[in-house]
Amino acid sequence: MLDKKLLDKSENYYNRELSWLKFNYRILNEAKDKSIPLFERIKFLSITASNLDEFFMIRVASLFDLVDADIKKKDIAGLTPKEQLALIIPETKEMMNSQYTTLNRSLLPAMESNGLRLVKSYEDLTEKQAKFVDKLFEKDVYPVLTPMAVDSSRPFPLISNKTLNIGALVRDKKKDVVDIATVQVPSVLPRVIELPSESDVREIILLEEIIEKNLGKLFLNYEIVCAHPYRIMRNADLTIDEDDAADLLKEIEKQIKQRAWGEVIKLEVESDMDKRLLKELRKQLQVSAEAVYHINGPLDLTFLMKVNGLDGFEHLKNKKYTPQPVKALNNEESIFDQIKRKDILLHHPYDEFTPVVDFIRQASVDPNVLAIKQTLYRVSGNSPIVAALAKAAENGKQVTVLVELKARFDEENNIIWAKKLEKAGCHVIYGLVGLKTHSKIALVVRREEEGIKRYVHLGTGNYNDITAKLYTDMGMLTASDAIGEDATAVFNMLSGYSEPPTWNKLIVAPIWMKNKFVSLIARETEHAKQGKEARIVAKMNSLCDPVIIKALYEASHAGVKIELIIRGICCLKTGIKDLSENITVRSIVGNFLEHSRIFYFYNDGFEEVYMGSADWMPRNLDKRVEITFPVEDEDLKRKVMDILDIQLADTLKAHIMQPDGSYEKQNLRGRDKLEAQQYFCKQAIDSSKKEEKQVVSRVFIPRTKSE
């Protein structure tokens, strides 16, 4: 019998934020892994920096807000916001030290030995390079710069979030007075500049080094006492009072502007910054000593993504993968006829995203299509999906699009798309009050000979043709009548006030989904108690919902074999006696970002597979409109189960959670080497080649009159 008290003990759970930091360490470990091509390691280091920026702007910022509001509510691991910050801040500083140790001791020397050198100082330039840089500054950089002196008549300017700046102490030659000045390093110019090289080693320099050296040309009547780069992070967590907002679009536009004025929660400076300048910056930015991060190297390591993109180093990168045509589809007949014949499974980025675009594109021009309804959370900058929806409206179709304006850091982009769609004649919904619409669903209503037919696309990822080449996601195209009815109900719920009492197939959050997952887990628990085989495999981005975790603990105690594939946050602990001894957790960090959500339940041999847009997090299950859908076609179900099996067999990119909360890669002794993402790439290419061969080898023999 399970001691229920174990379920409520805080020591049986991990803190969400510390778990996320462990995830970023797993990415950092990829940057340290010398078995990985050098430029891929550079990319991974850049990703850790980008991730850490967002972590500070949202998660750390929200904790500071809670502390300021004197909120002392404890999290699932028993920590107050103040206690969480006390653990997080030292950990992030340690992580940044590790980032720069990796850069300085490993990546930069490896880059140089492979023919690429980062020139760290203007003084290290050759005479030829110095002339090149001086000319570049005069022609391209100087006209863009805006020097900002600070004195009694000129206040310290607003420093934008995440921008790179150069702070300086300048002495007025006439008055012999020292003032502070600042110059923003313009983001409109390339930060990584390649220099003319006189050897086999290519050389690059960062834009801030050039500006810093030429600062005297911006302050002609001043002596430059010292100059150093600095960078700030502001609280970027939007607070939107949706109940009082008469116009949500205008309210979000206003809040985006307010983001620029968010409280400074982090100041990054060079480790050797002049103490007088640092003191002045802290005073002007109102930053405490604890919020200062001293950095041994270039600020903002996201510039390394530009280094990764340099031409001529292809041998130091992974071979670029091209998504393959979907075997189940052909270009010879209507996509609707093909979907009506059989459900179609999509596995991105191994399969092309083209069928999803074609689904909307063909619907936009098909005279038999009456209506298109779709949710958009994040789309690309030049989205073919949006273009097709606009064209459909112009062609007289009934087009309804829910554009989620609250998609973090995509608010401005989504406002632009929403206005464009409205202008084209689409009916645009700006999300729901108090909820984010995170579901990925598109519905096409078509008039056919037998009557009205509904076609639906459901997915685990966004309708973004760019990230579809970088993220692993699943999708399904179906003409199921039951799912079509549910899809109509979803959009009626989103556009009106109707709330269906029951659903045919879809599982929808925030009202129904958590209870459904708990019941599915409880069913496996009951089977285990009866001595039957019981198994759960769940793949997602994050797991931190207390109700779900407790249900998993109870299932594990009953004997259910639970295998979790969780890329990022996991608040569940493994290896706890009488609680989680039957649970394993693995995190796959590979060339593509693992993003799909897949859920498998053995169900006494009547296996069930679901896919969807929701992680097992309170925000997904309680505060968002999410959709999980069943995969019922036996062939497709087997394919999804095979995908899970391959990921569970990954021995190269899988990090296994240990009982102490650390993650370790598996010991390869006695094990076959398997990298799941590489396996899926090869599988898709081989399948495509096989299909091509069959087409090429086809022989058409004309019929004779005698036949």
Side-chain angles (χ1 to χ4, degrees), residues 197-383:
S197 181
E198 299 168 5
S199 68
D200 293 335
V201 177
R202 290 167 62 179
E203 293 182 308
I204 55 176
I205 192 170
L206 298 180
L207 180 60
E208 61 265 29
E209 293 292 337
I210 298 172
I211 296 173
E212 186 179 326
K213 180 63 179 178
N214 287 277
L215 216 54
K217 297 176 183 177
L218 298 172
F219 300 96
L220 295 175
N221 296 319
Y222 292 85
E223 172 195 347
I224 307 299
V225 178
C226 65
H228 299 273
Y230 71 95
R231 182 171 178 260
I232 64 167
M233 207 67 57
R234 293 185 181 274
N235 185 335
D237 196 14
L238 296 185
T239 303
I240 301 167
D241 189 351
E242 297 179 55
D243 291 324
D244 292 338
D247 188 327
L248 184 60
L249 187 144
K250 288 183 179 178
E251 177 65 18
I252 291 176
E253 286 180 320
K254 184 178 81 174
Q255 290 296 327
I256 290 169
K257 292 176 183 176
Q258 288 295 319
R259 213 177 235 167
W261 296 91
E263 179 188 2
V264 178
I265 57 173
K266 183 183 183 189
L267 169 61
E268 297 176 2
V269 300
E270 283 187 329
S271 55
D272 61 348
M273 175 178 274
D274 188 290
K275 291 181 180 179
R276 295 167 296 171
L277 175 58
L278 177 57
K279 181 180 178 181
E280 192 63 33
L281 282 173
R282 280 187 52 203
K283 174 186 170 185
Q284 297 291 348
L285 295 167
Q286 299 180 342
V287 173
S288 67
E290 292 75 24
V292 178
Y293 288 69
H294 299 269
I295 289 173
N296 181 26
L299 307 189
D300 187 7
L301 291 178
T302 58
F303 81 88
L304 291 170
M305 197 61 81
K306 299 297 182 185
V307 176
N308 170 267
L310 290 173
D311 294 330
F313 297 95
E314 306 312 309
H315 62 294
L316 299 174
K317 304 175 186 178
N318 285 332
K319 187 177 180 182
K320 192 173 181 181
Y321 175 76
T322 302
Q324 299 297 299
V326 178
K327 187 178 179 181
L329 288 168
N330 64 68
N331 296 321
E332 298 167 8
E333 58 182 327
S334 160
I335 193 169
F336 302 111
D337 290 340
Q338 297 178 72
I339 298 170
K340 187 159 59 172
R341 191 159 54 243
K342 186 177 174 63
D343 289 353
I344 295 164
L345 185 73
L346 305 171
H347 190 193
H348 310 299
Y350 314 106
D351 295 335
E352 290 179 329
F353 191 69
T354 307
V356 182
V357 177
D358 286 345
F359 179 59
I360 305 301
R361 191 176 276 156
Q362 287 189 33
S364 71
V365 296
D366 187 328
N368 294 319
V369 168
L370 305 176
I372 304 172
K373 302 183 181 186
Q374 188 166 9
T375 59
L376 296 179
Y377 191 76
R378 300 187 197 276
V379 293
S380 63
N382 190 25
S383 172

Side-chain angles (χ1 to χ4, degrees), residues 306-546:
K306 299 297 182 185
V307 176
N308 170 267
L310 290 173
D311 294 330
F313 297 95
E314 306 312 309
H315 62 294
L316 299 174
K317 304 175 186 178
N318 285 332
K319 187 177 180 182
K320 192 173 181 181
Y321 175 76
T322 302
Q324 299 297 299
V326 178
K327 187 178 179 181
L329 288 168
N330 64 68
N331 296 321
E332 298 167 8
E333 58 182 327
S334 160
I335 193 169
F336 302 111
D337 290 340
Q338 297 178 72
I339 298 170
K340 187 159 59 172
R341 191 159 54 243
K342 186 177 174 63
D343 289 353
I344 295 164
L345 185 73
L346 305 171
H347 190 193
H348 310 299
Y350 314 106
D351 295 335
E352 290 179 329
F353 191 69
T354 307
V356 182
V357 177
D358 286 345
F359 179 59
I360 305 301
R361 191 176 276 156
Q362 287 189 33
S364 71
V365 296
D366 187 328
N368 294 319
V369 168
L370 305 176
I372 304 172
K373 302 183 181 186
Q374 188 166 9
T375 59
L376 296 179
Y377 191 76
R378 300 187 197 276
V379 293
S380 63
N382 190 25
S383 172
I385 294 275
V386 173
L389 290 169
K391 187 169 186 179
E394 290 164 1
N395 287 340
K397 318 268 181 218
Q398 181 75 28
V399 181
T400 303
V401 187
L402 187 145
V403 180
E404 182 47 76
L405 298 185
K406 301 185 290 289
R408 185 176 294 147
F409 300 123
D410 270 324
E411 299 97 344
E412 291 179 88
N413 190 43
N414 285 3
I415 286 171
I416 292 168
W417 286 128
K419 290 179 177 179
K420 180 177 179 179
L421 288 167
E422 279 189 324
K423 191 174 181 180
C426 301
H427 179 63
V428 178
I429 307 165
Y430 299 136
L432 300 179
V433 173
L435 300 172
K436 279 188 181 179
T437 301
H438 190 247
S439 54
K440 327 298 181 186
I441 183 171
L443 167 67
V444 172
V445 182
R446 198 167 182 262
R447 183 194 291 116
E448 299 181 356
E449 288 183 11
E450 59 271 27
I452 296 296
K453 187 72 176 173
R454 286 173 279 211
Y455 297 84
V456 182
H457 172 266
L458 294 155
T460 68
N462 298 305
Y463 289 106
N464 188 318
D465 54 300
I466 303 301
T467 58
K469 297 174 184 175
L470 306 172
Y471 296 4
T472 74
D473 272 305
M474 304 292 296
M476 188 173 76
L477 291 160
T478 182
S480 160
D481 291 334
I483 288 179
E485 287 178 9
D486 282 352
T488 296
V490 166
F491 284 103
N492 287 343
M493 184 179 71
L494 293 174
S495 61
Y497 296 99
S498 59
E499 186 179 292
T502 60
W503 298 89
N504 297 316
K505 299 291 182 181
L506 300 184
I507 309 167
V508 182
I511 300 173
W512 302 272
M513 190 178 291
K514 183 184 286 189
N515 289 341
K516 178 65 175 181
F517 276 127
V518 169
S519 70
L520 291 170
I521 296 168
R523 187 180 62 190
E524 294 299 316
T525 304
E526 191 57 36
H527 288 161
K529 288 179 179 178
Q530 294 170 9
K532 298 177 181 178
E533 181 181 349
R535 185 182 180 218
I536 297 170
V537 183
K539 179 183 185 298
M540 67 201 82
N541 298 329
S542 299
L543 168 61
C544 60
D545 186 86

Side-chain angles (χ1 to χ4, degrees), residues 538-558:
K539 179 183 185 298
M540 67 201 82
N541 298 329
S542 299
L543 168 61
C544 60
D545 186 86
V547 176
I548 295 286
I549 295 175
K550 288 177 182 179
L552 291 172
Y553 280 160
E554 291 191 60
S556 169
H557 176 79

